[in-house]
Amino acid sequence: MLTAYDDANATQTGAYATDDERWQAVQRRDAAADAYFVYAVRTTGVYCRPSSANRLPRRENVLFFKSAQAAQEAGFRPSRRRSADKTSAATRRAELVAQACRWIERADPAPTLATLAERFGVSLYHFQRVFKAETGLSPKAYAQAFRANRLRDQLPGSPTVFSAMYEAGFNSASRFYAESERILGMRPRDYRTGGANVDIRFAVGECSLGAILVARSQRGLCAIWLGDDPERLVKDLQDRFPQATLCGDDEEFASWVAQVIGCVESPGLGINLPLDVRGTVFQQRVWRALQELPPGTTATYADIAARIGEPKAVRAVAQACGANQLAVAIPCHRVVRRDGDISGYRWGVERKRELLHRESAVKSIVSCD
């Protein structure tokens, strides 16, 4: 796929670092992405902000640029609707938050809310409100999430665990080890070596929704993935844990796999198995809220944000749903958009629609009884 985006810049900012992430932002009309890139359409010759209300183009016709100037230098002209995409005040807010994000990402240790507000010349309340409105997270939560992602990126190529620790922004070894196993799901030295000394037992099978891969670590289920190509699912598992010992199933694990497939076929059954949940504090709060949704019910991203006490964090909730590795066990398929649209499921919209249909059917039968 042709791209005009400066990936070195994306690595520095830590946001929208891949074409897939940028395209997802365009599909969501993500206003928070406006400060990071624009997209251009080869068939029309125009460029737009990610939040543009323009009709979505075909993916193969889209190029990404880190700035409007870069798009113009490549020969694209601004969309006629570009001026209406944002008011000048909204643009200034987006730029302020983008600058704050970059400063948080470079700072060591993470700056306090008071320091950030003073630096940008606004009150604490105003800065906190604007930052959460744009990113869906408080500055502190954003710093924690960025540090967790940076740790995952730094460990595999770092000469030592401690060098990765400092590069990721951890100044305290005790805090690092307290947080790292929760974030990584294993000891940092094992993650650094691609899962060496870690046994991952897995099985690939078929269910009515296509291919399914189920994997278990020493802690519990660490992956339930759906797809069309069984070999691709295995390849993805190998890429995620390149040095781990991948083992076939045994009698005990076969019963786990059967329970997972049974839940796919009959969603009302649920999964009563230990889960190895790996993610940031915010992601885990979202995932717990999803597990509290009864089968046959749905909630909006805004509903979940309200449940976890972060009503402004709608975008961050959507991102946490997209990061879920445990299909069905953590039922992110029960989250829909405010208008009832069911788009946005990492294992395919049709699978999401079918899971919701099955749960609705089960609920109807129970109601009749």
Side-chain angles (χ1 to χ4, degrees), residues 41-59:
V41 184
R42 289 186 291 188
T43 52
T44 61
V46 303
Y47 70 88
C48 313
R49 296 179 184 273
S51 65
S52 171
N54 284 356
R55 181 178 178 180
L56 285 177
R58 295 175 65 88
R59 174 65 185 87

Side-chain angles (χ1 to χ4, degrees), residues 72-223:
Q72 290 174 8
E73 290 174 353
F76 292 93
R77 67 183 186 279
S79 164
R80 291 181 180 178
R81 299 185 66 170
R82 179 172 176 266
S83 60
D85 287 341
K86 287 270 190 179
T87 65
S88 59
T91 300
R92 288 195 298 273
R93 288 196 297 270
E95 290 174 350
L96 180 148
V97 171
Q99 292 175 22
C101 288
R102 294 181 181 120
W103 195 46
I104 290 170
E105 291 160 9
R106 291 193 298 265
D108 183 18
T112 64
L113 178 60
T115 301
L116 287 164
E118 181 180 359
R119 178 180 177 85
F120 292 98
V122 296
S123 70
L124 270 71
Y125 170 78
H126 178 74
F127 183 86
Q128 174 94 331
R129 181 174 61 83
V130 168
F131 193 95
K132 290 188 71 173
E134 292 290 333
T135 67
L137 299 171
S138 68
K140 180 178 180 180
Y142 181 90
Q144 291 173 336
F146 176 79
R147 187 166 58 180
N149 290 334
R150 191 167 184 179
L151 176 62
R152 295 188 190 98
D153 293 338
Q154 290 289 331
L155 274 171
S158 179
T160 67
V161 169
F162 279 99
S163 62
M165 177 185 81
Y166 289 114
E167 284 294 325
F170 289 90
N171 295 316
S172 166
S174 60
R175 181 178 299 174
F176 167 73
Y177 280 103
E179 294 186 24
S180 59
E181 288 206 29
R182 173 186 53 77
I183 294 169
L184 304 171
M186 63 184 73
R187 294 178 301 178
R189 66 183 182 186
D190 294 335
Y191 190 93
R192 175 174 164 266
T193 55
N197 305 316
V198 173
D199 292 336
I200 303 291
R201 193 168 293 280
F202 79 99
V204 179
E206 290 289 329
C207 65
S208 59
L209 298 182
I212 183 170
L213 180 144
V214 182
R216 182 192 76 180
S217 70
Q218 289 92 333
R219 296 185 175 192
L221 291 172
C222 60

Side-chain angles (χ1 to χ4, degrees), residues 272-340:
N272 186 27
L273 294 170
L275 305 180
D276 181 359
V277 181
R278 309 174 185 199
T280 65
V281 172
F282 181 86
Q283 287 173 333
Q284 294 195 43
R285 289 168 62 197
V286 171
W287 297 336
R288 282 195 296 270
L290 295 180
Q291 290 176 290
E292 294 171 359
L293 294 175
T297 63
T298 59
T300 65
Y301 295 105
D303 291 336
I304 300 300
R307 281 173 179 252
I308 64 173
E310 299 281 358
K312 300 291 188 179
V314 177
R315 295 191 190 97
V317 167
Q319 292 166 357
C321 291
N324 175 30
Q325 300 288 330
L326 293 162
V328 185
I330 296 177
C332 55
H333 62 273
R334 293 175 190 158
V335 185
V336 298
R337 291 173 55 176
R338 188 181 298 274
D339 60 3

